[in-house]
Amino acid sequence: AVVSTQSTGEDVIAMAHCSKAFRRCCLTDSLWRNIFLQHHKMISPELEQLAAQHSWRKIFFTDKLRLQMLVSRQRSQMAIKRNNENTDKIEVEGASAATNGAGHQVAVEES
């Protein structure tokens, strides 16, 4: 069975109730990604990650304001992850930070 990406989201949901075969076709992520693309024309990397976590069907039916909030949150999480990865790469040569009994940082020579 072939489901047209020209159909509206509501039409696809209605077709999914016709038979098990239609249901399998109508619930595929690739179909909902194509339907989303027809309505929004562009997909950001953050949106791709959200869809991987949820589904394109759920993303398609999420209202625009909520979707903007989720994308913004995803961008923040990606920035924090990149920042943490960059911080992990910074190495201090010859010394590492440690604290003495008073809680002050002191340089400790590695052997």
Side-chain angles (χ1 to χ4, degrees):
V2 176
V3 178
S4 171
T5 55
Q6 299 296 323
S7 303
T8 66
E10 291 80 8
D11 290 340
V12 173
I13 293 295
M15 284 187 273
H17 294 288
C18 294
S19 69
K20 288 180 182 180
F22 268 114
R23 181 171 179 77
R24 278 192 302 272
C25 291
C26 292
L27 296 181
T28 62
D29 229 26
S30 59
L31 173 68
W32 285 101
R33 185 181 188 281
N34 288 334
I35 292 171
F36 186 92
L37 263 173
Q38 285 184 346
H39 286 81
H40 299 279
K41 308 296 182 214
M42 192 174 104
I43 296 176
S44 69
E46 296 87 6
L47 203 51
E48 286 279 2
Q49 286 188 339
L50 279 174
Q53 292 171 359
H54 304 286
S55 73
W56 279 107
R57 182 172 57 100
K58 185 173 182 176
I59 297 296
F60 179 78
F61 284 110
T62 301
D63 65 82
K64 288 182 181 183
L65 187 59
R66 174 124 172 93
L67 194 55
Q68 287 175 348
M69 182 188 71
L70 291 171
V71 167
S72 176
R73 187 176 298 153
Q74 188 72 25
R75 279 189 185 125
S76 296
Q77 289 173 352
M78 287 174 66
I80 289 169
K81 184 178 178 182
R82 277 192 306 271
N83 188 28
N84 288 343
E85 287 171 356
N86 290 337
T87 303
D88 291 344
K89 291 179 184 177
I90 298 172
E91 295 179 8
V92 177
E93 294 181 14
S96 63
T99 57
N100 63 15
H104 299 290
Q105 283 194 343
V106 294
V108 178
E109 195 69 31
E110 292 184 14
S111 46

